[in-house]
Amino acid sequence: MWWWELFLWLDMRNMLLFIFAFLFVVYFLTKKDPPHFPPGPSALPLLGNVFSIESKQPHIYLTKLADVYGNVFCIRLGRHKTVFVSGWKMVKEALVTQANNFVDRPYSPMVTRIYSGNSAGLFFSNGKVWRRQRQFAMAMLRTFGLTKGSMEQSICDESRHLQEAMEKEEGEPFDPVPLLNNAVANIICQIVFGRRFDYGDHNFQSMLKNLTELAYLEGSIWALLYDAFPALMKRLPGPHNRIFSSSKSLEASIRGEIERHKLDLDPSNPRDYIDNFLLEEKHNRNSEVGFEEGNLVLCCLDLFLAGSETTSKTLQWGLIYLIKNPHIQEKVQAEIDRVIGQTRQPTMADKLNLPYTDAVIHEIQRMGNIVPLNGLRVAARDTVLGRHFIPKGTSVMPNLTSVLFDKTEWETPDTFNPSHFLDAEGRFVRRDAFLPFSAGKRACLGEGLARVELFLFFVGLFQKFRFSTLDGVELSTEGITGATRTPYPFQIYASSR
Ligand code: HEM
């Protein structure tokens, strides 16, 4: 080795040592937690717990961690800390009792890139924009949905389209997922776009494909990694890149609908959510509370993302649980036959007289556990939760799996058991720990609509068909976890009753 090579080698070695030491010092300086900060599994320098999170079933891993570290613990991804809150009592304390401390959503590099940094839609906005947009969306759901009873009629009509599509499959095994997705998405389409789509419509199908992909990826480990290491992930290939391409395609479809609305907008007769939003923007010019066109696109995107996959997947789990429990399916059908019969369609007025069916739908939601974690929150100020100190700006995840399967709240948490919602006389009973829609000021704004959809679609399907699967096939209840929990692909028979 020449002397200058030796010099270079020594220099390189020193440089590497210096970088290593520097990173270590940065790590220990930034790692320092304040007194009483929630405990958690030990983390690797700079990477955090990235390798310990079970990527297939993260909600189960995170629920079990509470047995080790208690109901308030911390997980680190890179330098980013997220406090997980577990169990009905502690989740209620965070979401309801201390609602104002945890009402906002945190900054997310992924969301900022999807939403191009300006507007934040419904799900990710905060402060006065969120308050006004949430209020506006709820008013629209009431106007075009629930109060006039028109939505009940639309759901019944859509239910008929769904049943007709299933009748065509008579005698053959088929995948029910595309049909359920079509039916449920068409309800949001009627509220937002003012029209339904034919199930064979090419644009509709491409929208649904992008929605499914986005709903999965936004809640997957890829999204967590993007938020923890944005500078690195931006440059790496991988499934996270599809988050941005799918959302761009969806935004383009929504923009197309908005342009069509502008052509024949009639101020005296707004037809749907888009018309009302455009009128609000035109007349009141209150863009400081989010009434501008960029935000309209994002609000529509959020209504589709939050309102179609969730309800469709609940119905998918409903088919799976009732095929796996044929005696429960028969009991539901006997109750429907007794109360409604076979000749007329169900209405919401039937619900009171169908306590067993109502209990089964609730148990499907509990076991289906559609949103296994929750929407992420952030501490708005320094807060004490339980015995732990949570500094302002810390991300907080109130874990819904830990509530829906809380051993101290449910008699048989891991078994499909409609009796969880029935008293000794067979009457329906509400349960406090039933939180599939979350709780508090930021709970699901579509809960009312979702409940009507679930009841009418579910009762309509089981009134009309007996569902089974291929002989010898055991349907899995494990599921694929993203932002929502999706059943593995499955095939069913629908035999007319
Ligand atoms: C079975 C069906 C559904 C389930 C299980 C469900 C569940 C949830 C959950 C857990 C959240 C997060 C709440 C939080 O952060 O605390 C949420 C938020 C939301 N949901 Fe739903 N949802 C369903 C259906 C719907 C429907 C039909 C719509 C729309 C019409 C909708 C619109 C929304 C919106 C816009 C948010 C964000 C609320 C906000 O940040 O203020 N959801 N939903």
Side-chain angles (χ1 to χ4, degrees):
M1 187 183 282
W2 297 95
W3 65 269
W4 55 270
E5 281 181 313
L6 180 68
F7 180 74
L8 202 67
W9 183 80
L10 275 175
D11 222 36
M12 288 266 285
R13 214 177 57 150
N14 285 343
M15 180 72 90
L16 283 174
L17 270 174
F18 173 76
I19 292 174
F20 198 66
F22 176 75
L23 292 177
F24 234 78
V25 170
V26 169
Y27 166 69
F28 279 107
L29 285 179
T30 52
K31 179 184 173 290
K32 215 169 153 23
D33 293 327
H36 307 293
F37 188 74
S42 49
L44 288 171
L46 301 171
L47 294 173
N49 302 107
V50 69
F51 294 119
S52 31
I53 295 185
E54 213 263 88
S55 65
K56 271 189 150 177
Q57 305 283 330
H59 61 296
I60 296 183
Y61 166 77
L62 292 162
T63 302
K64 283 187 182 153
L65 275 191
D67 295 338
V68 183
Y69 297 102
N71 281 343
V72 184
F73 64 84
C74 175
I75 289 283
R76 290 155 208 269
L77 284 179
R79 289 175 55 200
H80 193 84
K81 301 169 193 171
T82 302
V83 168
F84 282 80
V85 182
S86 305
W88 154 236
K89 289 194 175 70
M90 198 54 83
V91 166
K92 183 180 165 221
E93 167 77 21
L95 292 181
V96 181
T97 317
Q98 302 206 40
N100 288 335
N101 294 344
F102 299 112
V103 76
D104 286 341
R105 307 253 186 240
Y107 165 77
S108 149
M110 181 189 73
V111 171
T112 308
R113 183 167 158 197
I114 295 180
Y115 291 180
S116 316
N118 299 323
S119 324
L122 271 168
F123 201 96
F124 294 105
S125 53
N126 286 326
K128 63 179 181 184
V129 174
W130 165 70
R131 266 193 304 280
R132 181 66 188 102
Q133 289 302 326
R134 184 175 164 106
Q135 192 188 38
F136 178 76
M138 292 189 85
M140 289 301 105
L141 288 183
R142 276 195 298 276
T143 308
F144 294 105
L146 304 168
T147 44
K148 279 188 184 165
S150 60
M151 190 41 61
E152 193 173 330
Q153 191 49 51
S154 304
I155 297 169
C156 287
D157 294 345
E158 197 58 49
S159 187
R160 243 196 311 266
H161 287 291
L162 174 64
Q163 290 166 18
E164 277 164 19
M166 283 196 178
E167 262 162 12
K168 291 191 186 139
E169 310 282 352
E170 177 92 54
E172 294 297 324
F174 67 100
D175 175 1
V177 173
L179 298 183
L180 294 170
N181 284 346
N182 291 339
V184 170
N186 258 339
I187 303 303
I188 299 287
C189 284
Q190 288 177 68
I191 294 170
V192 176
F193 298 160
R195 62 170 175 144
R196 69 176 292 279
F197 290 84
D198 201 72
Y199 292 178
D201 187 292
H202 174 71
N203 288 339
F204 183 51
Q205 287 309 323
S206 113
M207 252 182 76
L208 294 188
K209 188 175 150 284
N210 285 316
L211 269 178
T212 304
E213 176 135 283
L214 197 54
Y216 166 66
L217 286 170
E218 268 194 354
S220 70
I221 188 81
W222 293 102
L224 287 180
L225 287 173
Y226 191 94
D227 275 348
F229 310 103
L232 177 68
M233 295 298 283
K234 229 182 255 176
R235 288 168 180 80
L236 289 183
H240 58 284
N241 292 304
R242 298 205 304 273
I243 297 178
F244 308 105
S245 54
S246 294
S247 63
K248 284 284 159 281
S249 307
L250 280 165
E251 284 174 32
S253 309
I254 294 169
R255 273 183 211 285
E257 283 291 330
I258 295 173
E259 290 310 316
R260 261 191 293 280
H261 275 66
K262 283 191 202 160
L263 295 177
D264 51 3
L265 179 63
D266 174 1
S268 59
N269 186 25
R271 296 156 293 190
D272 49 32
Y273 179 87
I274 292 183
D275 271 1
N276 275 286
F277 196 107
L278 290 172
L279 290 172
E280 192 74 29
E281 182 194 8
K282 200 167 163 187
H283 297 309
N284 299 333
R285 300 190 189 286
N286 40 12
S287 62
E288 76 285 357
V289 283
F291 285 104
E292 42 91 15
E293 214 171 297
N295 201 36
L296 170 57
V297 176
L298 301 176
C299 289
C300 294
L301 182 62
D302 283 349
L303 286 172
F304 276 103
L305 266 174
S308 48
E309 286 279 311
T310 41
T311 313
S312 170
K313 280 174 190 163
T314 310
L315 291 167
Q316 294 163 30
W317 284 115
L319 290 172
I320 290 177
Y321 278 109
L322 265 60
I323 289 172
K324 287 178 83 68
N325 295 279
H327 61 291
I328 297 181
Q329 181 173 169
E330 278 164 23
K331 238 174 130 174
V332 164
Q333 283 157 340
E335 191 182 56
I336 295 173
D337 288 352
R338 199 171 58 247
V339 175
I340 306 176
Q342 280 286 329
T343 48
R344 71 166 175 88
Q345 278 200 298
T347 67
M348 286 313 286
D350 293 318
K351 194 168 166 193
L352 266 179
N353 301 318
L354 293 168
Y356 186 75
T357 305
D358 200 10
V360 168
I361 295 172
H362 279 72
E363 185 66 353
I364 291 166
Q365 283 204 268
R366 188 186 73 81
M367 289 290 285
N369 188 17
I370 302 303
V371 184
L373 290 174
N374 203 341
L376 197 56
R377 308 296 188 84
V378 66
R381 51 187 69 82
D382 288 353
T383 306
V384 174
L385 190 62
R387 285 175 289 110
H388 299 288
F389 173 70
I390 302 183
K392 177 179 174 178
T394 310
S395 295
V396 174
M397 177 63 91
N399 176 354
L400 293 180
T401 301
S402 73
V403 180
L404 295 174
F405 293 80
D406 188 330
K407 291 185 188 65
T408 61
E409 294 293 326
W410 303 98
E411 294 72 28
T412 59
D414 298 317
T415 308
F416 187 82
N417 175 10
S419 302
H420 283 137
F421 298 94
L422 293 167
D423 68 11
E425 276 74 48
R427 284 182 300 238
F428 178 81
V429 281
R430 289 179 186 282
R431 298 292 301 262
D432 285 346
F434 179 72
L435 283 200
F437 298 102
S438 189
K441 294 184 177 179
R442 195 123 206 184
C444 175
L445 73 75
E447 174 172 351
L449 175 66
R451 283 174 177 275
V452 176
E453 286 187 71
L454 287 177
F455 182 80
L456 293 176
F457 280 131
F458 179 89
V459 175
L461 285 176
F462 283 89
Q463 178 187 36
K464 198 88 185 149
F465 301 105
R466 179 172 304 104
F467 292 100
S468 56
T469 188
L470 288 72
D471 276 347
V473 170
E474 186 64 31
L475 297 180
S476 169
T477 53
E478 196 181 90
I480 306 159
T481 302
T484 50
R485 220 173 67 84
T486 313
Y488 285 120
F490 65 111
Q491 299 256 312
I492 58 166
Y493 288 107
S495 328
S496 291
R497 299 182 57 235

